[in-house]
């Protein structure tokens, strides 16, 4: 199997849509999680491709807060691919399918993947609205996008996951945040299958395991991106205390709305910073 085929079951028609929409190739792809889609509204020269028009995107039903479209456009003067929403394992897709945004971005020539998500705060000092720079993850989803998937050399995909969240990009993100007065703390993201939220006992377990935030996404994309040689940086928006009393999906979305503006500013400044460095 060649590298292109491993890239991974991405139909050429989708690569054409992602690339063609841009004119010039994007180097950076950003996956926007629950309630964080707003950045795409700021993109100039935007071309919108609904996920339903992408031949390789897994067919899943809509979940409130997840827009479901690829927006190719210009942010802070740089060409970017913005994925508004994602397919989640809890919707019944495979981990390989859940990683489709990363695979399409790699196939379209992006070398940097920015992942964002809404997450529950496991660490006790975290409050709704806090932004956490992901330093590492715990894959507790019970699956992996590389199961049965040969690596670029055709061998087995024993992909190193040390520094999966690129130390250099994390530093850039930290400095960017500092320069515009946004506070970030570092944290380990625990990825769980969901869709039920965690029990208090599970939250205690996650704390023991070293998790700071918990969510139901991101891990498959990050693993696939690393397998494809992309650099990754990730941010979690804390929408609630994990196992919070009376937690509803609606509350998660509302907390997202309030902090989404800050996330948008940070992303725009980060993209500008990356563009200035390249
Ligand atoms: N648990 C898991 N996923 C989440 C949560 C949570 O508390 N909040 C937002 N996504």
């Amino acid at each position: 199997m060649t590298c292109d085929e491993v890239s991974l079951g991405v139909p050429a028609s989708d690569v054409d849509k992602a690339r063609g929409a841009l004119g010039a190739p994007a180097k950076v792809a950003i996956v926007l999680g629950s309630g964080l889609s707003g950045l795409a509204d700021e993109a100039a020269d935007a071309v919108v491709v609904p996920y339903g028009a992408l031949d390789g995107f897994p067919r899943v039903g809509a979940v409130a807060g997840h827009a479901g479209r690829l927006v190719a456009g210009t942010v802070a003067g740089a060409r970017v691919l913005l994925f508004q929403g994602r397919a989640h394992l809890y919707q019944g897709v495979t981990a390989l399918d859940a990683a489709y945004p990363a695979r399409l971005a790699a196939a379209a020539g992006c070398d940097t993947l920015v992942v964002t998500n809404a997450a529950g705060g496991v660490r006790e000092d975290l409050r709704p609205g806090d932004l956490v720079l992901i330093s590492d993850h715990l894959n507790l989803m019970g699956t992996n996008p590389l199961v049965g998937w040969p690596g670029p050399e055709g061998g087995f995909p024993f992909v190193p996951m040390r520094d999966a969240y690129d130390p250099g990009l994390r530093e850039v993100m930290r400095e960017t945040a500092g320069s515009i007065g946004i506070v970030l703390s570092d944290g380990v993201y625990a990825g769980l299958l969901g869709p039920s939220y965690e029990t208090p006992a599970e939250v205690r377990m996650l704390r023991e395991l070293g998790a700071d935030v918990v969510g139901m996404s991101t891990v498959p994309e990050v693993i696939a991106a690393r397998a494809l040689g992309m650099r990754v940086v990730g941010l979690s928006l804390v929408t609630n205390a994990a196992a919070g009393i009376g937690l509803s999906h609606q509350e998660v979305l509302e907390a997202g709305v309030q902090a989404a503006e800050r996330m948008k500013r940070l992303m725009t400044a980060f993209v500008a910073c990356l563009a200035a460095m390249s």
Side-chain angles (χ1 to χ4, degrees), residues 113-151:
L113 183 70
V114 184
V115 287
T116 68
N117 58 55
V122 172
R123 206 173 69 219
E124 277 168 340
D125 65 292
L126 290 173
R127 296 287 170 268
D130 285 355
L131 293 179
V132 173
L133 178 59
I134 303 175
S135 57
D136 205 345
H137 74 219
L138 293 164
N139 179 7
L140 301 174
M141 299 181 124
T143 184
N144 188 305
L146 306 184
V147 171
W149 179 33

Side-chain angles (χ1 to χ4, degrees), residues 34 90 117-122 189-190 192 194-198 203 206 213-217 237-244 247-249 252-253:
S34 286
Y90 64 70
N117 58 55
V122 172
Y189 177 90
L192 271 65
S196 53
Y197 289 113
E198 300 70 40
V203 174
L206 292 171
V213 289
V214 58
M216 305 171 191
S217 68
L237 164 61
V238 177
T239 52
N240 57 279
L247 174 64
S248 71
H249 187 60
V252 169
L253 293 183

Side-chain angles (χ1 to χ4, degrees), residues 11 19 32 34 38-39 53 62 66 78 93 124 131 152 175 183 186 188-189 238 257 262 269 272:
R19 276 201 191 130
L32 300 164
S34 286
L39 180 65
H66 299 277
V93 305
E124 277 168 340
L131 293 179
E175 281 175 14
V183 178
D186 277 357
V188 171
Y189 177 90
V238 177
V257 170
R262 247 178 318 134

Side-chain angles (χ1 to χ4, degrees), residues 2-267:
T2 68
C3 186
D4 267 3
E5 285 166 326
V6 174
S7 283
L8 321 118
V10 175
S13 54
D14 285 1
V15 176
D16 285 348
K17 276 178 197 136
R19 276 201 191 130
L22 280 170
K27 286 285 162 211
V28 178
I30 307 178
V31 183
L32 300 164
S34 286
L36 297 169
S37 295
L39 180 65
D41 302 332
E42 316 258 295
D45 312 321
V47 175
V48 175
V49 185
Y51 288 161
L54 293 173
D55 297 321
F57 203 95
R59 300 284 173 252
V60 291
V63 172
H66 299 277
R69 44 192 215 160
L70 167 62
V71 177
T74 304
V75 169
R79 299 293 204 179
V80 290
L81 291 183
L82 299 161
F83 290 88
Q84 285 186 306
R86 42 163 71 92
H88 298 80
L89 293 178
Y90 64 70
Q91 292 170 293
V93 305
T94 64
L96 185 64
D97 278 347
Y100 195 72
R103 292 159 53 214
L104 174 54
C110 295
D111 59 16
T112 301
L113 183 70
V114 184
V115 287
T116 68
N117 58 55
V122 172
R123 206 173 69 219
E124 277 168 340
D125 65 292
L126 290 173
R127 296 287 170 268
D130 285 355
L131 293 179
V132 173
L133 178 59
I134 303 175
S135 57
D136 205 345
H137 74 219
L138 293 164
N139 179 7
L140 301 174
M141 299 181 124
T143 184
N144 188 305
L146 306 184
V147 171
W149 179 33
E153 266 78 55
F156 287 104
F158 300 119
V159 174
M161 290 298 288
R162 192 187 176 93
D163 291 337
Y165 297 84
D166 190 85
L169 290 181
R170 279 160 53 205
E171 192 50 40
V172 174
M173 188 68 86
R174 226 178 268 121
E175 281 175 14
T176 305
S179 73
I180 55 174
I182 289 176
V183 178
L184 288 183
S185 69
D186 277 357
V188 171
Y189 177 90
L192 271 65
L193 176 61
S196 53
Y197 289 113
E198 300 70 40
T199 65
E202 286 164 346
V203 174
R204 286 196 298 276
M205 173 192 76
L206 292 171
R207 227 170 254 145
E208 286 291 312
L209 292 178
D212 297 292
V213 289
V214 58
M216 305 171 191
S217 68
T218 301
V219 166
E221 293 146 32
V222 171
I223 294 173
R226 292 304 297 144
L228 295 167
M230 299 176 89
R231 298 198 301 165
V232 173
V233 66
L235 284 173
S236 288
L237 164 61
V238 177
T239 52
N240 57 279
I245 295 164
L247 174 64
S248 71
H249 187 60
Q250 192 53 35
E251 285 168 287
V252 169
L253 293 183
E254 278 163 19
V257 170
Q258 288 159 24
E261 201 54 41
R262 247 178 318 134
M263 177 77 100
K264 207 158 70 177
R265 274 200 298 131
L266 177 55
M267 283 297 154

